[in-house]
Amino acid sequence: MLTCSLRPNLPQPAATSTRAERYRRVRDRTLALIEPLTAEDMVVQSMPDASPAKWHLAHTTWFFETFLLGAQPGYAVFDDSFAYLFNSYYEALGARQPRAQRGLLTRPSLERVLDYRRHVDARMRALLETDADVDALLDLGLAHEEQHQELLLMDMLHLFSLSPLTPAAAPDWPRDQGGRKGQFQVRPGGLVEIGHDGQGFAFDNEGPRHKVWLQPFEIADRLVRNAEWRDFINDNGYGRPELWLSDGWAWAQTHEVRAPFYWRDTPDGWAEMTLAGLRPLDMDAPVTHVSFYEADAFARWSGARLPLEAEWEMAARDGVLQQAFDVGWQWTASAYLPYPGFAPGAGAVGEYNGKFMSGQMVLRGGAAFTPDGHARSTYRNFFAPDKRWMRSSVRLARDLDPARGRDDAGFAADVVSGLSARQKSLSPKYFYDAAGSDLFEAICRTPEYYPTRSETKLLRDIAKELVGDLPSDAVLVEFGSGASDKTRLLLDAAPQIKAYVPIDVSAEALRMAKARLAQAYPYLSVAPVLGDFTARLDLPSETRDRPLIGFFPGSTLGNFEPEAAQALLRTIRDALGAQARLILGADMVKDEATLLAAYDDAEGVTCAFNKNLLSRINRELGGTFDLSAFDHLALWNAERQRIEMHLVSRFDQIVKAAGHTFAFKAGERLHTENSHKFTQDSLSRLAEGAGWRVARSWISPPGFGVFVLT
């Protein structure tokens, strides 16, 4: 349930508007939310966890009458029966209508409830024009009503979702904004303070402020998207008990849970019930309305976990979280328990929070249904783990494991070394964090960037020639497999390939590729290898004593200096064995204008890709790079037959990174990438130096080559 404490945290700052104006603004918003509803809509209770809209209108009014007006001399209650009908949980205030039977209250009528609101509002306005000391209870009452505004929207959505007409509770309600996949942000951990600091309003369960020790961790900067959840469903995520907590598995099986709460499987594909009615599901938008059990199972499937509430609060305070307050409350792995030193207040105003600190999980942030300004980084929402009708969402976290720790240390060492050199340079392998990978995909979609389109078309045209003669026990081994998209062209052309070994440094890319390929090619044995293909690798047992076909598309070879490229081809030959063949993609030398356009597109995507390296240094190594202080430069080095990418300092400046200070002169270049281009002769010489021979080759316009090496 939503935190609905009746004990304020003091002191509070002075309001920026008069008390009466603040009161009117909050109360008017509640009436605006019910504007699209009919009287019939507002009396129905769709389930015991929900309340009718009419009850919300009356209960929030009852709060002000009971706790503020009732304490004023001479005030006469509007209706003696309302104390029984519209109390919620407050034992100290007497008996009440059972929660599950609130929908039976056809009387009082809606008009009578609205008269009640008008009566209380008039007397509250008069009270607030005086100097009565009611600020603490007023702030509490307004926060309480804002909570019920959010509950009202969630309850109406649930009610309307049960109607075969799928009506709209708020026809103009905006769609959630889609966006990129979240990327993990490294957080240092250590001894941190969480909880409310006493400045401004807070509910009692947000304090006391206290210290917590956190191990270093990573947390996603954005929420899990519908597309990722669809992959979870397609990978039988709801049918794999190893992903689920025991109680969660029993719950999912008992209730036949197979998708998020408001997803609908229609003849036209997935749709989603929203406040604006039934809409086609936006795969780029964040997933919402899932239980803790589902969120936890998805996190396991993703090779991650849910964040602790202290991790969430620390990351939110540091400003690294997007979509923190405006989409959905985010499940954490923390049980809803009191902070050290917590003590509920006396009487009804302190009754709510403490007695619910059992059997519930904490959610953090805020939601699209949350009134503006209501949530804050210390806010502790809480629900039972099976609940999903409320506006919940998922943010992933993971421990900073030793392997990633070594990578981080290597990144820092390479940055310090590269920025300290006379000719500043950094390895292009550091381009490909999550944001960099997304940007590279965007580069591939620009009209100027021909390599991906050219290679894909060429592979599609020659696939039968490439692999049509493979024996039935052949194994395809791909170096730097990524999403394994081009692999499908070979698998479609050679169904006799029964085993596939993708090699990549991204565990997530390997897992997602395996899931997609398992669905498309159920006969295919997929044996991923997590590692850097430039180092010596041990291939899995599936490759033993079987013909091996190496696959190295994308002209990645061109990112290496000639000596390193030759060493890499030698490493691949050693891994595959002397009898193997290698299918290699290589970009060819062509006119300078075409090359430069591909690496400096008109939309500036390549520029953003290049500068993202500086963003990564800022984010992960405490850098102080101002991205606007550097220009993107792509140039053709004819002597070395390569495109070079640089970042050029626009003026003299000092920057910090990884605990060191570096000086840049105006016009000084930071060399970030080379992309060597080949002729047939230069590629043949390179291959021969590594023990390979070019057996066949195909060159497509505007000049991309596919080579078979033996």
Side-chain angles (χ1 to χ4, degrees), residues 243-272:
L243 299 174
W244 293 74
L245 295 169
S246 179
D247 287 349
W249 178 251
W251 166 81
Q253 299 309 298
T254 299
H255 297 281
E256 298 182 347
V257 178
R258 296 293 180 267
F261 194 56
Y262 289 125
W263 283 28
R264 302 290 183 264
D265 195 1
T266 75
D268 297 324
W270 286 110
E272 183 176 29

Short mmCIF file of all heavy atoms in Angstrom, two decimals, residues 243-272:
data_model
loop_
_atom_site.label_atom_id
_atom_site.label_comp_id
_atom_site.label_asym_id
_atom_site.label_seq_id
_atom_site.Cartn_x
_atom_site.Cartn_y
_atom_site.Cartn_z
N LEU A 243 14.27 -19.45 -12.02
CA LEU A 243 14.37 -18.00 -11.98
C LEU A 243 13.59 -17.38 -10.82
O LEU A 243 13.78 -16.20 -10.51
CB LEU A 243 13.86 -17.39 -13.29
CG LEU A 243 14.59 -17.78 -14.57
CD1 LEU A 243 13.86 -17.21 -15.78
CD2 LEU A 243 16.03 -17.29 -14.54
N TRP A 244 12.73 -18.17 -10.19
CA TRP A 244 11.74 -17.60 -9.29
C TRP A 244 12.01 -17.96 -7.83
O TRP A 244 12.49 -19.05 -7.52
CB TRP A 244 10.34 -18.09 -9.66
CG TRP A 244 9.87 -17.58 -10.98
CD1 TRP A 244 10.27 -17.98 -12.22
CD2 TRP A 244 8.91 -16.56 -11.19
NE1 TRP A 244 9.62 -17.26 -13.18
CE2 TRP A 244 8.77 -16.38 -12.60
CE3 TRP A 244 8.13 -15.77 -10.34
CZ2 TRP A 244 7.89 -15.46 -13.15
CZ3 TRP A 244 7.25 -14.85 -10.90
CH2 TRP A 244 7.15 -14.69 -12.29
N LEU A 245 11.66 -17.03 -6.94
CA LEU A 245 11.57 -17.36 -5.53
C LEU A 245 10.46 -18.39 -5.33
O LEU A 245 9.50 -18.44 -6.11
CB LEU A 245 11.27 -16.10 -4.71
CG LEU A 245 12.36 -15.01 -4.71
CD1 LEU A 245 11.82 -13.73 -4.09
CD2 LEU A 245 13.60 -15.49 -3.98
N SER A 246 10.56 -19.19 -4.29
CA SER A 246 9.59 -20.26 -4.09
C SER A 246 8.17 -19.72 -3.99
O SER A 246 7.25 -20.21 -4.65
CB SER A 246 9.95 -21.05 -2.83
OG SER A 246 9.00 -22.07 -2.60
N ASP A 247 7.96 -18.68 -3.16
CA ASP A 247 6.62 -18.10 -3.04
C ASP A 247 6.17 -17.49 -4.35
O ASP A 247 4.99 -17.56 -4.71
CB ASP A 247 6.61 -17.04 -1.94
CG ASP A 247 6.67 -17.63 -0.54
OD1 ASP A 247 6.51 -18.86 -0.41
OD2 ASP A 247 6.89 -16.86 0.41
N GLY A 248 7.11 -16.88 -5.07
CA GLY A 248 6.76 -16.27 -6.35
C GLY A 248 6.34 -17.31 -7.38
O GLY A 248 5.39 -17.11 -8.15
N TRP A 249 7.06 -18.44 -7.43
CA TRP A 249 6.71 -19.50 -8.37
C TRP A 249 5.32 -20.05 -8.06
O TRP A 249 4.50 -20.25 -8.98
CB TRP A 249 7.76 -20.61 -8.31
CG TRP A 249 7.47 -21.77 -9.22
CD1 TRP A 249 7.08 -23.02 -8.85
CD2 TRP A 249 7.54 -21.77 -10.65
NE1 TRP A 249 6.89 -23.81 -9.96
CE2 TRP A 249 7.17 -23.06 -11.08
CE3 TRP A 249 7.86 -20.81 -11.60
CZ2 TRP A 249 7.14 -23.42 -12.42
CZ3 TRP A 249 7.82 -21.16 -12.95
CH2 TRP A 249 7.46 -22.44 -13.34
N ALA A 250 5.03 -20.29 -6.77
CA ALA A 250 3.71 -20.79 -6.39
C ALA A 250 2.62 -19.78 -6.76
O ALA A 250 1.55 -20.16 -7.28
CB ALA A 250 3.68 -21.08 -4.89
N TRP A 251 2.90 -18.50 -6.53
CA TRP A 251 1.93 -17.46 -6.88
C TRP A 251 1.70 -17.41 -8.38
O TRP A 251 0.55 -17.36 -8.85
CB TRP A 251 2.45 -16.11 -6.38
CG TRP A 251 1.75 -14.92 -6.93
CD1 TRP A 251 0.56 -14.40 -6.51
CD2 TRP A 251 2.19 -14.09 -8.02
NE1 TRP A 251 0.23 -13.31 -7.28
CE2 TRP A 251 1.20 -13.09 -8.21
CE3 TRP A 251 3.29 -14.11 -8.85
CZ2 TRP A 251 1.32 -12.12 -9.21
CZ3 TRP A 251 3.41 -13.14 -9.84
CH2 TRP A 251 2.43 -12.16 -10.01
N ALA A 252 2.78 -17.42 -9.17
CA ALA A 252 2.64 -17.33 -10.63
C ALA A 252 1.89 -18.53 -11.19
O ALA A 252 1.07 -18.39 -12.12
CB ALA A 252 4.02 -17.22 -11.28
N GLN A 253 2.15 -19.73 -10.65
CA GLN A 253 1.45 -20.91 -11.14
C GLN A 253 -0.01 -20.91 -10.72
O GLN A 253 -0.90 -21.23 -11.50
CB GLN A 253 2.15 -22.18 -10.64
CG GLN A 253 3.59 -22.33 -11.10
CD GLN A 253 3.73 -22.16 -12.61
OE1 GLN A 253 3.16 -22.92 -13.39
NE2 GLN A 253 4.49 -21.15 -13.02
N THR A 254 -0.28 -20.53 -9.49
CA THR A 254 -1.66 -20.52 -8.99
C THR A 254 -2.52 -19.55 -9.78
O THR A 254 -3.67 -19.85 -10.12
CB THR A 254 -1.68 -20.14 -7.50
OG1 THR A 254 -0.94 -21.12 -6.76
CG2 THR A 254 -3.10 -20.07 -6.97
N HIS A 255 -1.95 -18.39 -10.09
CA HIS A 255 -2.73 -17.35 -10.78
C HIS A 255 -2.51 -17.34 -12.29
O HIS A 255 -3.01 -16.44 -12.98
CB HIS A 255 -2.39 -15.98 -10.19
CG HIS A 255 -2.76 -15.85 -8.74
ND1 HIS A 255 -4.05 -15.61 -8.31
CD2 HIS A 255 -2.01 -15.97 -7.61
CE1 HIS A 255 -4.07 -15.56 -6.99
NE2 HIS A 255 -2.85 -15.77 -6.53
N GLU A 256 -1.73 -18.31 -12.80
CA GLU A 256 -1.47 -18.44 -14.24
C GLU A 256 -0.95 -17.12 -14.82
O GLU A 256 -1.41 -16.64 -15.86
CB GLU A 256 -2.72 -18.90 -14.98
CG GLU A 256 -3.19 -20.28 -14.54
CD GLU A 256 -4.40 -20.77 -15.31
OE1 GLU A 256 -5.03 -19.95 -16.02
OE2 GLU A 256 -4.72 -21.96 -15.21
N VAL A 257 0.03 -16.56 -14.15
CA VAL A 257 0.62 -15.28 -14.57
C VAL A 257 1.56 -15.55 -15.75
O VAL A 257 2.46 -16.38 -15.65
CB VAL A 257 1.38 -14.62 -13.41
CG1 VAL A 257 2.03 -13.33 -13.87
CG2 VAL A 257 0.43 -14.38 -12.25
N ARG A 258 1.36 -14.84 -16.86
CA ARG A 258 2.17 -15.06 -18.05
C ARG A 258 2.68 -13.77 -18.69
O ARG A 258 3.39 -13.81 -19.70
CB ARG A 258 1.36 -15.85 -19.10
CG ARG A 258 0.99 -17.26 -18.65
CD ARG A 258 2.23 -18.14 -18.51
NE ARG A 258 1.91 -19.50 -18.09
CZ ARG A 258 1.90 -19.92 -16.83
NH1 ARG A 258 2.21 -19.07 -15.86
NH2 ARG A 258 1.60 -21.16 -16.53
N ALA A 259 2.28 -12.62 -18.12
CA ALA A 259 2.67 -11.33 -18.70
C ALA A 259 2.37 -10.25 -17.67
O ALA A 259 1.66 -10.50 -16.68
CB ALA A 259 1.91 -11.06 -20.00
N PRO A 260 2.90 -9.03 -17.84
CA PRO A 260 2.54 -7.93 -16.93
C PRO A 260 1.03 -7.74 -16.85
O PRO A 260 0.27 -8.13 -17.75
CB PRO A 260 3.24 -6.72 -17.57
CG PRO A 260 4.45 -7.32 -18.22
CD PRO A 260 3.97 -8.63 -18.79
N PHE A 261 0.60 -7.12 -15.77
CA PHE A 261 -0.81 -7.14 -15.37
C PHE A 261 -1.75 -6.61 -16.45
O PHE A 261 -2.83 -7.17 -16.67
CB PHE A 261 -0.97 -6.31 -14.09
CG PHE A 261 -2.28 -6.50 -13.40
CD1 PHE A 261 -2.71 -7.76 -13.01
CD2 PHE A 261 -3.09 -5.42 -13.11
CE1 PHE A 261 -3.92 -7.94 -12.35
CE2 PHE A 261 -4.30 -5.58 -12.45
CZ PHE A 261 -4.71 -6.84 -12.06
N TYR A 262 -1.37 -5.54 -17.13
CA TYR A 262 -2.29 -4.91 -18.08
C TYR A 262 -1.96 -5.22 -19.53
O TYR A 262 -2.52 -4.60 -20.44
CB TYR A 262 -2.33 -3.40 -17.84
CG TYR A 262 -3.04 -3.04 -16.56
CD1 TYR A 262 -2.43 -2.25 -15.58
CD2 TYR A 262 -4.33 -3.50 -16.30
CE1 TYR A 262 -3.07 -1.92 -14.41
CE2 TYR A 262 -4.99 -3.18 -15.12
CZ TYR A 262 -4.36 -2.39 -14.18
OH TYR A 262 -5.02 -2.07 -13.01
N TRP A 263 -1.04 -6.16 -19.78
CA TRP A 263 -0.79 -6.58 -21.16
C TRP A 263 -1.96 -7.44 -21.65
O TRP A 263 -2.52 -8.24 -20.90
CB TRP A 263 0.50 -7.40 -21.25
CG TRP A 263 1.74 -6.58 -21.19
CD1 TRP A 263 1.93 -5.38 -20.58
CD2 TRP A 263 3.01 -6.94 -21.76
NE1 TRP A 263 3.23 -4.96 -20.72
CE2 TRP A 263 3.92 -5.90 -21.44
CE3 TRP A 263 3.46 -8.03 -22.50
CZ2 TRP A 263 5.25 -5.92 -21.84
CZ3 TRP A 263 4.79 -8.05 -22.88
CH2 TRP A 263 5.66 -7.01 -22.57
N ARG A 264 -2.29 -7.26 -22.92
CA ARG A 264 -3.34 -8.07 -23.55
C ARG A 264 -2.80 -8.63 -24.86
O ARG A 264 -2.28 -7.89 -25.70
CB ARG A 264 -4.58 -7.21 -23.84
CG ARG A 264 -5.18 -6.54 -22.60
CD ARG A 264 -5.85 -7.52 -21.67
NE ARG A 264 -6.47 -6.86 -20.53
CZ ARG A 264 -5.91 -6.72 -19.33
NH1 ARG A 264 -4.67 -7.18 -19.13
NH2 ARG A 264 -6.56 -6.13 -18.35
N ASP A 265 -2.92 -9.93 -25.05
CA ASP A 265 -2.45 -10.60 -26.26
C ASP A 265 -3.59 -10.57 -27.28
O ASP A 265 -4.56 -11.31 -27.17
CB ASP A 265 -2.05 -12.04 -25.94
CG ASP A 265 -1.23 -12.67 -27.06
OD1 ASP A 265 -0.98 -11.98 -28.07
OD2 ASP A 265 -0.86 -13.85 -26.94
N THR A 266 -3.50 -9.67 -28.27
CA THR A 266 -4.56 -9.47 -29.24
C THR A 266 -4.15 -10.04 -30.60
O THR A 266 -2.96 -10.33 -30.83
CB THR A 266 -4.87 -7.97 -29.41
OG1 THR A 266 -3.82 -7.35 -30.18
CG2 THR A 266 -4.97 -7.28 -28.05
N PRO A 267 -5.09 -10.21 -31.53
CA PRO A 267 -4.72 -10.68 -32.87
C PRO A 267 -3.70 -9.78 -33.57
O PRO A 267 -2.98 -10.23 -34.46
CB PRO A 267 -6.06 -10.68 -33.61
CG PRO A 267 -7.09 -10.84 -32.54
CD PRO A 267 -6.55 -10.10 -31.36
N ASP A 268 -3.63 -8.51 -33.16
CA ASP A 268 -2.68 -7.58 -33.76
C ASP A 268 -1.40 -7.44 -32.96
O ASP A 268 -0.58 -6.56 -33.23
CB ASP A 268 -3.35 -6.20 -33.91
CG ASP A 268 -4.54 -6.23 -34.84
OD1 ASP A 268 -4.48 -6.97 -35.84
OD2 ASP A 268 -5.52 -5.53 -34.55
N GLY A 269 -1.20 -8.31 -31.98
CA GLY A 269 0.00 -8.24 -31.16
C GLY A 269 -0.33 -7.76 -29.76
O GLY A 269 -1.50 -7.55 -29.39
N TRP A 270 0.71 -7.55 -28.97
CA TRP A 270 0.51 -7.12 -27.58
C TRP A 270 -0.09 -5.72 -27.54
O TRP A 270 0.31 -4.82 -28.26
CB TRP A 270 1.83 -7.12 -26.83
CG TRP A 270 2.35 -8.47 -26.46
CD1 TRP A 270 3.43 -9.11 -26.98
CD2 TRP A 270 1.82 -9.35 -25.46
NE1 TRP A 270 3.61 -10.34 -26.38
CE2 TRP A 270 2.63 -10.51 -25.44
CE3 TRP A 270 0.73 -9.28 -24.59
CZ2 TRP A 270 2.39 -11.58 -24.58
CZ3 TRP A 270 0.49 -10.35 -23.73
CH2 TRP A 270 1.31 -11.48 -23.73
N ALA A 271 -1.06 -5.56 -26.64
CA ALA A 271 -1.63 -4.25 -26.33
C ALA A 271 -1.57 -4.08 -24.82
O ALA A 271 -1.27 -5.02 -24.08
CB ALA A 271 -3.05 -4.13 -26.85
N GLU A 272 -1.86 -2.86 -24.37
CA GLU A 272 -1.78 -2.57 -22.94
C GLU A 272 -2.94 -1.69 -22.53
O GLU A 272 -3.27 -0.70 -23.20
CB GLU A 272 -0.45 -1.87 -22.63
CG GLU A 272 -0.24 -1.59 -21.15
CD GLU A 272 1.12 -0.98 -20.87
OE1 GLU A 272 1.66 -0.28 -21.76
OE2 GLU A 272 1.66 -1.20 -19.77
#
